Every structure is written in C-alpha cells, then in structure tokens.
Amino acid sequence: MIQTVWVSSSRSRASRRPDGQRTSWKCGFIRTIIQHICLRHHFKAQGKTRMLKKIQICLCFFFVSGILYEISLLSGCFFSCMPMPKQFLTPEQVLNLGRSIIFLETTERLEPPPLVSCSVESAARIYQDRPIILFMKGLTNDTVLDSNSSYTAFSLLSSMKNVFLFPLQMENVFQETPLLQWYNEVDPEEEKNWVHVSSDASRLALIWKYGGIYMDTDVISIRPIPEGSFLAAQKSRFSSNGIFGFPAHHKFIWDCMENFVLKYNGNIWGNQGPFLMTRMLKAICNLTDFEGVEDHSCQNISFLNPQRFYPIPYPAWSRYYDVWDKVPDFNHSYALHLWNFMNRNRKAVVAGSNSLAEKLYKTYCPSTYEDLIQNAELRVFTSYEDSV
C-alpha cells in the first residue's frame, strides 16, 4: 500500500504564515468574481438554445479558470487555493504546474542538514508563487514520517505551503531521455563519484522534462532570478551546473544529456557536471571574459556573471564562516553558493558567532536558524545541565 511521505507539522499553519487572513480574503474575493461572471453568462444565455447554453458554460469555465490562475499568481494564494491538500499531489502534478525550483538529495539521508534546509526555505520565501521541490533518494513511497518524528528539518520544510518533498526515483526520472540506457548499464557500486554523477544526470532530466530552475542544496536565494534560460558562470569562460534554468524540452538540455552519455567518464569529478555545461556552451558560443558585472548572452541563453551566484569564489569559500567588519550587500547577486563540497572541515553556522553565514541564515532562512541552530544548541545545553 502506498503511503504519503508528508510530515504533519506540529506547528499551526497560521504560525508559519502570518498573512493567512489576507490570503483567505483574497481567495474569497476570487470566488466572488467567479460567481458573478458565471451568473452573468447564465442570464445572457437565457432564451437561446440548449446547445448555445452548453457552449457558453464551457467558455465561461475556461475563461474563469484563466482568471483564477492569473489572479492567484498575483495574490500569492496559488498553493492555499489548490483544490486538494498538497500531501495528495504527485510529483508530476506539481512539476506540471511549471516554473518549479528543484533541489536534489542523492544520498540516503532523511534528515536534511541546516544548510539544505536553509537553501530550500530561502527559495520558498523568495519564490512564493512557485513550487519548491526537494527530491530525496532516501525517501520511498512506503516512508511514513509523522509529527512525532525526530527529523526536525523534514517537519519544518513540510510545513511550508509551497515546499514539496518527494522520493527521487531515478528510473522514472530518466524515462524518455538519452540517460535511461546509461542508467540501466552503469553499476553504482563501481562508481566512486556516484552521488555527484547521479545528481548531475537527474537535474538535467528533470529540467528537460518539466522546465524551471535547478539549485544545489548549498545555494541561499536572496532575490528572484529574472532570467528564463540561463547558465551561471563560475568564472570567465567556465560554467557551473550548480544552478541553471530552462523551459521544458529545451534543445540545449537535450544536447547536454546526449553528450553526458557520449563522453561519460565517472572517474573524473565534474566531467558530467560543470565541465559538461562548459563544453556544450563553448560548442555554440564564443565565450569571452567578463568585464564588470555585465551578463553575456548567446543563442538566447543568458550566461550570468559570476557575481550573480559566486561573489565569493571557491578558493575563499571559508570566508562565509568568518566575521566581517562590514557585511557585503551582494547587490549584484540573486543567490549565494556556499561551496559545501569544499567544506571538508565541516564548518557550521553557530548561534552567536556573528559570522557572515549566520547573518545570511537569520535574514533568508529564519525558521531554519531558529529551529535547527538556536533550538538545537539549547537542547544540547539543557541535556548537559540535566546530566550534571
């Protein structure tokens, strides 16, 4: 029997959404508009043939559906006005809404660490009218986690109205893509970089099928990305694959999947990731160095300046965990990549440290900061006091 993977948060939805009353009013207003429009069309249809009435009713339905969709996006009640609770929606139903922000967890862990939670929460706050999806390999259709679960981050993220957590089922993800044959032939046990390689493949397939934006789980969103088709420059003439966005069925992503299989070498870290994106971009564009903070564009693909996501380059990654005399404003950035792959010493955000990362958590993922940083340290302190 398939069971839901959702966590019922112990917190009330109202406590998570202080604008709940305003959202309810907007949704009520939308319903009133629908009633008036349908009544008007109904009265106009009187005296005409039954067939004409049916046609008008159908037109009314489609007309009102369009109005509902447009107004709901503007009013921010898109998810609270959905016809069914989000825990009953399938990944395909959510992805087909379009414009998703997609995160991947390709390890087996079920408890997202604070940085993953912060990345997802910050995206949920910045893109309130878009589905935020975290696919987790450790989840299955039989996984059941309730409000009594010890997985604090899972519960926290599930309580957010536009955040969805789904199992990552790679065989389904790769269907109808060039990656399926590769996936059926590769042996994960023989792959030393399987966690990264499988993530590289999954993000390509998901964005090609459904469109939207992919983000690594160490990316903190700080303002909306205004681009539709884009790659993120890690440095001049070199693209990352840690964040990118395209509409569904974009040729560039299909070509990337074909090259992924053709040039596959799992022993070289990044060969199917940033090196793949870079060689595919170089094949169609004449890349030049960035001057200032301008972006580049080629073949209707925006190649965004390193300042957009990598204002602190990877050799200086640890600066996120330093105390700054003056905190940078990041005015030219849409999001910040915290280079977790480089963080082999496991530097973490510590409450009261006054580090740059702590300030980012407080500003862009305050619930994660409170629940997973402050409260965790309080629980440890209380436990220590009890033992003494």
Side-chain angles (χ1 to χ4, degrees), residues 103-114:
F103 295 89
L104 296 173
E105 175 58 74
T106 51
T107 71
E108 296 289 344
R109 66 186 176 190
L110 283 175
E111 174 67 343

Side-chain angles (χ1 to χ4, degrees), residues 115-133:
L115 183 53
V116 174
S117 178
C118 184
S119 297
V120 176
E121 180 188 346
S122 65
R125 291 178 179 274
I126 295 298
Y127 303 95
Q128 295 186 27
D129 62 341
R130 302 176 70 161
I132 313 299
I133 306 174

Side-chain angles (χ1 to χ4, degrees), residues 92 104 106 137 168-186 188 194 196-210 254 257 260-261:
E92 289 74 19
L104 296 173
T106 51
K137 187 174 182 290
L168 176 60
Q169 299 171 328
M170 293 185 190
E171 187 171 356
N172 292 337
V173 168
F174 297 141
Q175 292 292 332
E176 302 177 357
T177 77
L179 298 169
L180 182 60
Q181 182 178 354
W182 160 81
Y183 179 73
N184 288 333
E185 295 174 355
V186 72
W194 180 246
H196 303 289
V197 168
S198 60
S199 177
D200 292 335
S202 298
R203 68 189 70 177
L204 289 172
L206 286 166
I207 293 299
W208 183 80
K209 282 186 170 183
Y210 303 104
W254 181 267
M257 291 190 292
F260 182 107
V261 177

